[in-house]
Amino acid sequence: MRSRAHARRCFPVERKDYRKPVLDGMLTFMRPHDDTPLERLSGSVERVTFHSEESGFCVLRVKVRGRRELVTVVGSAASITPGEFVECLGSWHNDRTHGLQFKAVRLASVLPGTVDGIEKYLGSGMVKGIGPHFAKLLVKAFGTDVFEVIENDPIRLLGLPGIGRKRMEKVTGAWAEQKVIREIMVFLQSHGVGTARAVRIFKTYGDEAILKVTENPYRLALDIHGIGFKTADAIAERLGIARDSLIRARAGVRHVLQEICADGHCAWPWDALADQATGLLEIPAAIIDDAIHGEIADENLSRAEIGGKECLFLSPLFKAENGAAAGLARLLPGVPPWGDIDAAKAIPWVEGKTGLTLSASQRDAIALALSSKVVVITGGPGVGKTTLVNSILRIIGAKQVRVTLCAPTGRAAKRLSESTGLEAKTIHRLLEFDPQTFGFKRGRDNPLETDLVVVDESSMVDIVLLNRLLAAIPDHAALIIVGDVDQLPSVGPGAVLADIIDSGAVPTVRLTEIFRQAASSRIIVNAHRINRGEIPLRNEGADLTDFYFIPAETPEDIHDKVMQVVLERIPKRFGLHPVRDIQVLTPMNRGGLGVRSLNVELQQRLNPDAEPSITRFGTRFAPGDKVIQTVNNYDKEVFNGDIGGIESVDPEEGLLRADFDGRSVEYEFGELDEVSLAYATSIHKSQGSEYPAVVIPLAMQHYMLLERNLLYTAVTRGKKLVIIIGQVKALAMAVKNRRSTKRVTKLAERIRRSMK
């Protein structure tokens, strides 16, 4: 294996110039068109006023030597953090609104050369193990030689109070890692990659990062979170890879299919995929065809017919569908592990035990579940799914049957546990994820020790997770699948619950009757009205209720009313906490009513002064902030959509801790692109969660996303209070619109065939 030294020989990097820019090549789009002479300006970043991850555009407040007031610098940077020292090339402009600004055509981060700059840099958390306290100590002891001491004479650190051998090793290790990262950054920046992903690239590839990127830059799009095909393609072009090369065509084909699968599909028609890839890559169709056949030959793609059309799968999804169908076919036949139970006797017995009178549909459902090894229970809110499952568990429990309860998310598992009185786990925890192998310990060779598995919130389960769960269920065991098929399907690929029901091969109970207790809830009544395509009932009286529609004419009006309701009206009238209890759910990520904009403002209004704070990837994080995990992290056992609260930020150690349903999860600062603020979240991200109060902005600017199942899902997330604020027309459109595209899958057909 070639070493880092080899990479350095190929791509030499000057090592002794500690002030060498680490953002070389970061040129902005703002080069002046006039003859304004370019000036140089340098200083430390005191505050990041604005930063866009997508465009890199940033507004910085910079402390410049010799100037009393902070200077506003406008430029472009892939990543920028308070405490960094920047060198800028640009010109002064007097903005009519914002006053005097320095518009940088080039913005480069450098290691500072002044004592103050060094202290601020080291105290910013950039080097793990050094925070504000130790930064002051180091600078006081070594002055401008501190970088030289850390690198070449670290033993001198032991002479400082509070620095033992353990901390010294942590500091020197972090510094060495930073040096490698800076070297990688120099290389990547010269090829158009921003610094925000340098740590991830280093952690993924280690010392061989430069070598691996050079050999095949397209692997970045597959391996590194946050780097897409376009970035990898730009690097490839700079490295001299031809636009019509087969390596580019194959990467492009897979990228297009991955994007399609990210929208929930398991496959896509061959012709449509080829057309999309040709349009993206702008190369002849013949090369795309060769690329597809090459990917099939290497088993990266698989082919199958769906609805009379030749379709292509990413091979893992192809295998997952086949595996899931085989798993259901394996479990369905035979006698349930509890043996033969007389439902006619068991039902009156459980009614006597619980004090509940079951409806005719619930009685039929219990009889079906007791006689089946696999059964699906579906229905909306208030139809008695929980009562039904508890009754089944009470009856089966009398037979000393081992029961396992699980759900896709921590919150859903917690809710299942509370409703049944039995322990419930997330599916990932149940299957015992092993970070060493990046796989699950439980499977066909090491099945679960259970007689019955109950899966709640099954509409959230994607095809890959379903396959892994089914593989871990022993042959003799039974399976109860519970969920609301009318909710949004899973964030990941597949439409698991709908496909299982559509197969017609699995016994299914659909509960529709709203129980009397539930019928008093406007939330439940209106959720069912929405599901039927009817406009929700509005509150006509002065009495408090649990469902409100507040009309607003314009997006600005909607925005103002959302703020008023979250910050004042709900806390005052209902006694609910604006952070813990209230969740804003919006259809979009962008725009004034999108997730990003609402989060920035809600953070400013609800948690403005919390310290210590850290700004990473364009977001400020501080204790007390509500956050959401945006990608699956099996190592930390936090998953896409999990919501938590920040407990602490430790600049000395470079660590942030967040609480997720009682579990403390630790993030290094370089990992904070995995979380976002969660005062507002997308409706898609809210699946599987319930909140005391939900506020939903609806505007015609959301028209592409105004769909019945989206609104239905949002409304059913609220336990005590749901408030829709929006345009009457937008509400009507959302209720009437059922255009939701059916996902391209083959699971239902595979299940039917596997049963023959």
Side-chain angles (χ1 to χ4, degrees):
M1 185 175 285
R2 285 175 281 188
S3 65
R4 183 182 357 151
H6 172 85
R8 287 197 194 109
R9 286 194 297 273
C10 296
F11 307 96
V13 176
E14 178 61 50
R15 299 186 56 99
K16 287 298 180 184
D17 183 3
Y18 293 109
R19 287 178 51 82
K20 183 175 179 67
V22 298
L23 302 185
D24 276 355
M26 186 173 291
L27 300 180
T28 78
F29 51 82
M30 292 189 298
R31 184 170 299 279
H33 294 288
D34 56 26
D35 296 325
T36 307
L38 296 182
E39 300 178 35
R40 293 188 179 275
L41 181 141
S42 59
S44 63
V45 179
E46 297 289 312
R47 187 168 73 247
V48 180
T49 304
F50 177 81
H51 179 252
S52 167
E53 277 188 73
E54 294 172 359
S55 66
F57 176 77
C58 59
V59 181
L60 313 175
R61 296 285 282 164
V62 178
K63 176 67 176 172
V64 177
R65 194 172 182 180
R67 289 180 175 267
R68 184 178 297 176
E69 302 291 330
L70 296 179
V71 172
T72 299
V73 175
V74 181
S76 183
S79 170
I80 197 75
T81 304
E84 286 190 80
F85 201 83
V86 292
E87 286 188 351
C88 313
L89 184 69
S91 57
W92 293 96
H93 292 263
N94 195 12
D95 186 273
R96 189 175 295 175
T97 305
H98 303 291
L100 191 64
Q101 298 178 333
F102 188 84
K103 290 196 174 184
V105 298
R106 183 175 179 272
L107 181 63
S109 177
V110 301
L111 292 179
T114 67
V115 169
D116 287 346
I118 291 170
E119 185 180 325
K120 186 169 287 291
Y121 175 82
L122 289 175
S124 69
M126 298 287 286
V127 181
K128 197 174 178 181
I130 304 178
H133 172 68
F134 285 108
K136 192 178 288 292
L137 274 180
L138 288 166
V139 171
K140 188 177 179 181
F142 306 117
T144 56
D145 295 331
V146 65
F147 297 139
E148 180 72 32
V149 171
I150 293 172
E151 180 164 353
N152 297 319
D153 197 11
I155 205 74
R156 293 172 64 186
L157 300 179
L158 296 175
L160 300 179
I163 297 184
R165 187 163 291 276
K166 190 174 179 181
R167 184 173 291 275
M168 180 198 75
E169 289 171 354
K170 179 181 278 189
V171 169
T172 53
W175 179 254
E177 184 174 301
Q178 282 294 318
K179 280 202 71 178
V180 175
I181 291 168
R182 286 198 304 275
E183 292 173 6
I184 293 167
M185 268 195 250
V186 172
F187 168 74
L188 293 175
Q189 285 293 331
S190 68
H191 295 291
V193 180
T195 59
R197 309 300 170 200
V199 174
R200 287 204 176 276
I201 293 170
F202 171 72
K203 285 188 173 180
T204 305
Y205 301 140
D207 292 355
E208 296 205 322
I210 293 173
L211 184 64
K212 288 183 180 291
V213 172
T214 305
E215 287 176 346
N216 182 7
Y218 294 105
R219 68 192 306 160
L220 288 170
L222 297 173
D223 299 341
I224 310 296
H225 169 65
I227 294 183
F229 175 80
K230 288 184 178 178
T231 300
D233 200 32
I235 298 169
E237 187 174 10
R238 288 185 174 92
L239 290 171
I241 295 174
R243 290 183 61 77
D244 61 353
S245 64
L246 197 57
I247 187 173
R248 180 173 183 262
R250 290 179 63 162
V253 164
R254 207 178 329 170
H255 163 72
V256 170
L257 190 51
Q258 284 173 327
E259 290 292 294
I260 290 166
C261 294
D263 287 336
H265 303 284
C266 289
W268 205 243
W270 184 315
D271 291 346
L273 177 64
D275 288 345
Q276 285 173 248
T278 302
L280 172 72
L281 302 177
E282 297 179 332
I283 58 178
I287 299 174
I288 296 294
D289 196 52
D290 288 344
I292 291 173
H293 282 98
E295 289 292 286
I296 293 171
D298 287 350
E299 299 183 352
N300 295 322
L301 303 183
S302 299
R303 59 203 295 181
E305 191 176 288
I306 302 175
K309 290 184 178 179
E310 187 81 2
C311 291
L312 291 166
F313 289 75
L314 293 171
S315 288
L317 299 182
F318 182 87
K319 291 171 182 174
E321 279 201 349
N322 275 329
L328 286 169
R330 174 175 58 82
L331 293 172
L332 270 163
V335 179
W338 47 82
D340 191 23
I341 295 177
D342 188 346
K345 293 179 180 177
I347 291 169
W349 175 84
V350 81
E351 286 180 322
K353 288 289 184 181
T354 60
L356 297 171
T357 302
L358 299 170
S359 68
S361 60
Q362 286 178 316
R363 289 169 174 243
D364 291 343
I366 289 174
L368 183 65
L370 293 177
S371 62
S372 306
K373 278 194 71 196
V374 182
V375 68
V376 173
I377 299 170
T378 188
V383 297
K385 294 194 297 294
T386 300
T387 300
L388 179 57
V389 170
N390 281 338
S391 299
I392 294 167
L393 292 178
R394 183 69 73 95
I395 294 168
I396 290 170
K399 296 284 187 177
Q400 303 300 306
V401 170
R402 297 170 297 174
V403 176
T404 299
L405 307 182
C406 62
T409 67
R411 288 202 166 191
K414 187 178 180 181
R415 214 165 54 248
L416 179 60
S417 186
E418 289 168 352
S419 66
T420 60
L422 302 171
E423 182 188 17
K425 297 180 178 178
T426 65
I427 298 173
H428 294 89
R429 188 170 290 181
L430 177 67
L431 299 180
E432 298 176 26
F433 178 77
D434 183 3
Q436 298 298 318
T437 62
F438 214 74
F440 294 106
K441 292 180 181 178
R442 295 289 185 175
R444 289 295 291 145
D445 297 331
N446 183 28
L448 297 166
E449 295 163 6
T450 187
D451 301 309
L452 169 66
V453 175
V454 179
V455 188
D456 199 13
E457 293 286 357
S458 58
S459 63
M460 293 182 64
V461 178
D462 63 35
I463 186 61
V464 174
L465 192 56
L466 176 72
N467 179 40
R468 302 306 294 265
L469 176 62
L470 292 174
I473 300 175
D475 294 352
H476 77 277
L479 172 65
I480 298 177
I481 301 168
V482 186
D484 185 351
V485 74
D486 293 317
Q487 284 189 25
L488 290 169
S490 58
V491 175
V496 163
L497 182 58
D499 283 349
I500 292 173
I501 295 171
D502 290 347
S503 74
V506 179
T508 298
V509 174
R510 181 153 194 158
L511 302 173
T512 56
E513 181 185 348
I514 303 175
F515 284 85
R516 190 165 46 205
Q517 308 94 304
S520 63
S521 165
R522 284 291 182 98
I523 295 174
I524 289 172
V525 169
N526 282 328
H528 285 273
R529 286 183 65 87
I530 290 166
N531 205 27
R532 293 193 301 267
E534 301 169 9
I535 297 292
L537 298 170
R538 294 168 67 170
N539 185 40
E540 302 296 341
D543 295 337
L544 290 182
T545 182
D546 61 359
F547 186 99
Y548 295 88
F549 174 74
I550 301 174
E553 294 300 319
T554 65
E556 293 75 22
D557 190 22
I558 297 171
H559 172 278
D560 292 345
K561 285 179 176 175
V562 167
M563 292 298 150
Q564 187 186 22
V565 162
V566 171
L567 299 170
E568 299 170 22
R569 292 177 66 179
I570 295 177
K572 193 172 181 179
R573 295 193 71 187
F574 295 90
L576 297 174
H577 193 277
V579 178
R580 289 193 307 271
D581 299 329
I582 303 172
Q583 187 62 53
V584 178
L585 299 179
T586 180
M588 298 182 72
N589 283 311
R590 299 181 185 178
L593 295 174
V595 170
R596 297 172 188 174
S597 177
L598 290 173
N599 267 321
V600 169
E601 185 159 356
L602 286 167
Q603 182 191 47
Q604 289 171 349
R605 306 280 286 274
L606 291 168
N607 195 34
D609 303 318
E611 293 292 343
S613 64
I614 184 71
T615 299
R616 286 290 187 273
F617 304 99
T619 300
R620 176 182 173 271
F621 299 99
D625 278 333
K626 186 192 284 189
V627 291
I628 184 169
Q629 182 76 15
T630 57
V631 296
N632 290 335
N633 189 317
Y634 298 94
D635 246 341
K636 300 183 192 295
E637 290 189 54
V638 282
F639 304 100
N640 193 350
D642 286 355
I643 286 181
I646 297 177
E647 298 175 301
S648 64
V649 175
D650 188 342
E652 300 285 346
E653 300 296 326
L655 295 173
L656 178 150
R657 290 179 182 85
D659 177 88
F660 289 90
D661 292 314
R663 287 182 61 246
S664 187
V665 178
E666 196 172 87
Y667 297 87
E668 294 182 8
F669 287 170
E671 298 175 313
L672 291 178
D673 59 343
E674 290 189 3
V675 293
S676 299
L677 295 175
Y679 298 97
T681 66
S682 70
I683 296 170
H684 284 85
K685 293 282 189 187
S686 72
Q687 290 172 261
S689 295
E690 282 187 345
Y691 315 95
V694 164
V695 178
I696 309 164
L698 280 184
M700 288 304 295
Q701 68 185 56
H702 301 150
Y703 73 95
M704 289 295 291
L705 294 165
L706 293 176
E707 296 178 4
R708 188 183 301 174
N709 65 346
L710 191 82
L711 181 59
Y712 174 77
T713 299
V715 168
T716 55
R717 300 307 90 201
K719 287 194 293 186
K720 297 178 181 178
L721 180 65
V722 171
I723 298 178
I724 300 174
I725 303 172
Q727 295 162 317
V728 174
K729 189 177 178 182
L731 176 64
M733 180 179 282
V735 169
K736 289 183 168 51
N737 194 352
R738 292 199 73 178
R739 68 168 176 240
S740 188
T741 307
K742 183 173 168 57
R743 293 184 169 183
V744 181
T745 70
K746 196 179 170 71
L747 181 61
E749 185 182 336
R750 294 189 202 275
I751 296 170
R752 283 193 293 271
R753 286 188 176 180
S754 66
M755 297 305 299
K756 291 180 180 176

